[in-house]
């Protein structure tokens, strides 16, 4: 049995708690949040499990905890990872891993020194459609990729997490939403060469709408769009199009107004191959957070670091994201 603690009781913690419930060999043993009320609400939603306001108090009361899910705000990831690693806990940490390259390097040093299993929760790698398209690419069904185009857009998220659009503590859509596609494209296409970003700040003084061009060292070019500035009842939407030498594949996904409303889904994959009619299929229906946690716990139980989300790619992703942010500020191409 894997005994798990969750640190951070915001919106995304519910997705992780539900994933734990879906795995028979996992149990949520305790939750922690600096805000006692938030911690108590999350605990009440999960069979009244114990709740704490510091990781140290949680670890002292629950020596059986072998794994921690960090769902706290990005700007506190570095110190929380350090505390968890020092206590010998395996760590699944929400994305983005950090807001700077220095912080990512420090995080990776702390987990390496402690010899704990660590993974960034880049859930899109496990998401219906994205996972199957990655498999198609790895199997050679698409051939070489000429061009990739990804989008991820929504209305401004209103979960009480004002830090998300704080220019210093969250940095808006580029580091929160855009990083999903940056990560997926890095996994799909390898190391990046240079970036250029056209973006505009809104009243939060964050770049909450952006188009980024990413050139990869293998010659593939990608364009990715992100926005928190969609209006009205615009649904949380994401898409992916890959133009390959053997096939073109296109995926679209539309949920409710935020990613938490995954029951209201309109989605499909279309595959176009030479001389054949389009192959149209609905996206497979499974919970990506459960798939992600199952994979991570398998790594924990076998004592191996996650090959599917390798540590060196964690660092590359934040290097690319920070370069995109700098490109937006400077209105210039940034070489990596």
């Amino acid at each position: 049995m894997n005994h798990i603690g969750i640190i951070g009781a915001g919106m995304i913690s519910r997705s992780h708690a539900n994933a734990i419930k879906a795995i028979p060999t996992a149990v949520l043993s305790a939750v922690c949040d600096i805000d006692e009320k938030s911690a108590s609400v999350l605990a009440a939603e999960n069979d009244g499990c114990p709740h704490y306001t510091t990781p140290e108090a949680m670890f002292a009361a629950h020596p059986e905890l072998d794994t921690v899910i960090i769902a706290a705000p990005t700007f506190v990831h570095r110190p929380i990872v350090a505390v968890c690693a020092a206590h010998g806990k395996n760590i699944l940490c929400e994305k983005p891993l950090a807001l700077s390259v220095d912080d990512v390097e420090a995080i990776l040093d702390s987990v390496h020194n402690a010899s704990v299993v660590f993974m960034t929760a880049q859930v899109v790698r496990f998401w219906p459609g994205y996972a199957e398209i990655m498999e198609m690419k790895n199997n050679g069904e698409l051939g070489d990729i000429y061009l990739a185009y990804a989008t991820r857009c929504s209305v401004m998220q209103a979960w009480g997490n004002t830090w998300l659009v704080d220019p210093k503590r969250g940095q808006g859509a580029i580091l929160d939403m855009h990083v999903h596609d940056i990560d997926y494209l890095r996994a799909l296409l390898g190391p990046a060469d240079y970036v250029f970003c056209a973006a505009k700040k809104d009243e939060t003084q964050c770049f909450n709408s952006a188009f980024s061009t990413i050139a990869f060292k293998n010659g593939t070019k990608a364009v990715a769009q992100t926005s928190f500035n969609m209006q009205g009842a615009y649904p949380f939407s994401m898409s992916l199009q890959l133009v390959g030498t053997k096939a073109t594949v296109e995926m679209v996904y539309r949920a409710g107004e935020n990613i938490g409303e995954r029951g209201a889904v309109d989605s499909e994959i279309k595959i176009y191959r030479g001389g054949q009619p389009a192959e149209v299929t609905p996206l497979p229906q499974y919970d990506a957070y459960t798939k992600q946690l199952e994979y991570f716990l398998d790594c924990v139980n076998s004592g191996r670091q996650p090959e599917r989300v390798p540590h060196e790619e964690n660092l590359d992703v934040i290097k690319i994201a920070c370069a995109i942010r700098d490109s937006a500020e400077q209105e210039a191409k940034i070489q990596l």
Side-chain angles (χ1 to χ4, degrees):
M1 182 69 70
N2 290 108
H3 294 269
I4 302 173
I6 294 179
I7 299 176
M11 188 278 291
I12 203 63
S13 68
R14 273 71 185 174
S15 294
H16 292 294
N18 288 338
I20 295 169
K21 291 176 184 176
I23 299 173
T25 57
V27 61
L28 179 57
S29 296
V31 300
C32 172
D33 194 289
I34 192 172
D35 180 74
E36 195 276 336
K37 181 177 179 181
S38 296
S40 66
V41 170
L42 181 61
E45 293 171 357
N46 290 276
D47 301 320
C49 71
H51 64 278
Y52 304 88
T53 55
T54 69
E56 293 89 345
M58 183 172 70
F59 297 150
H62 296 275
E64 77 278 8
L65 287 177
D66 56 83
T67 298
V68 174
I69 298 173
I70 299 176
T74 307
F75 63 92
V76 293
H77 283 179
R78 178 176 175 174
I80 293 176
V81 169
V83 168
C84 294
H87 283 80
K89 308 304 179 184
N90 302 298
I91 303 162
L92 178 64
C93 182
E94 260 299 332
K95 46 54 61 183
L97 186 48
L99 301 175
S100 72
V101 173
D102 285 348
D103 279 354
V104 173
E105 290 176 336
I107 285 171
L108 295 178
D109 283 346
S110 67
V111 298
H112 292 161
N113 292 338
S115 298
V116 297
V117 179
F118 175 84
M119 190 172 90
T120 306
Q122 291 287 5
V123 73
V124 166
R125 297 196 188 204
F126 300 85
W127 203 272
Y130 290 93
E132 287 75 17
I133 290 172
M134 179 68 77
E135 186 175 357
M136 290 176 61
K137 192 265 183 185
N138 291 340
N139 289 342
E141 293 182 54
L142 305 179
D144 295 329
I145 306 298
Y146 293 124
L147 185 69
Y149 177 58
T151 69
R152 193 168 304 270
C153 301
S154 76
V155 299
M156 182 65 73
Q157 300 301 305
W159 306 321
N161 50 346
T162 54
W163 61 270
L164 188 65
V165 288
D166 182 297
K168 292 184 177 179
R169 300 191 303 163
Q171 301 186 13
I174 286 181
L175 268 294
D176 181 73
M177 289 257 281
H178 216 29
V179 76
H180 279 300
D181 291 314
I182 293 167
D183 174 76
Y184 186 80
L185 292 169
R186 168 61 182 84
L188 188 80
L189 301 170
D193 184 19
Y194 66 83
V195 302
F196 178 80
C197 181
K200 185 173 178 61
K201 291 181 179 178
D202 60 16
E203 68 278 2
T204 69
Q205 297 307 303
C206 292
F207 291 111
N208 282 325
S209 288
F211 279 96
S212 297
T213 297
I214 308 172
F216 291 87
K217 290 184 178 180
N218 67 359
T220 303
K221 304 296 190 293
V223 175
Q225 176 193 8
T226 193
S227 182
F228 276 158
N229 296 135
M230 311 310 277
Q231 297 298 313
Y234 191 92
F236 184 96
S237 302
M238 48 193 181
S239 70
L240 177 68
Q241 183 186 86
L242 301 176
V243 182
T245 55
K246 293 183 179 180
T248 296
V249 62
E250 186 173 67
M251 185 207 73
V252 295
Y253 177 102
R254 295 181 183 88
E257 288 189 21
N258 68 64
I259 195 61
E261 298 173 19
R262 295 193 288 276
V265 172
D266 171 21
S267 55
E268 65 181 11
I269 298 175
K270 293 182 180 179
I271 305 169
Y272 303 87
R273 308 180 200 268
Q276 299 180 37
E279 303 167 28
V280 183
T281 59
L283 287 190
Q285 294 301 304
Y286 55 80
D287 181 61
Y289 288 90
T290 301
K291 291 283 189 183
Q292 174 180 251
L293 185 57
E294 286 174 336
Y295 173 77
F296 180 67
L297 292 180
D298 183 61
C299 292
V300 167
N301 294 331
S302 62
R304 71 183 195 277
Q305 296 297 339
E307 302 94 343
R308 195 163 171 179
V309 191
H311 294 181
E312 64 271 17
E313 291 184 16
N314 297 162
L315 182 59
D316 275 2
V317 166
I318 300 305
K319 285 181 177 179
I320 297 168
C322 289
I324 285 172
R325 179 196 60 204
D326 293 345
S327 174
E329 288 281 7
Q330 300 171 27
E331 298 185 352
K333 169 184 167 181
I334 302 291
Q335 191 77 37
L336 286 154

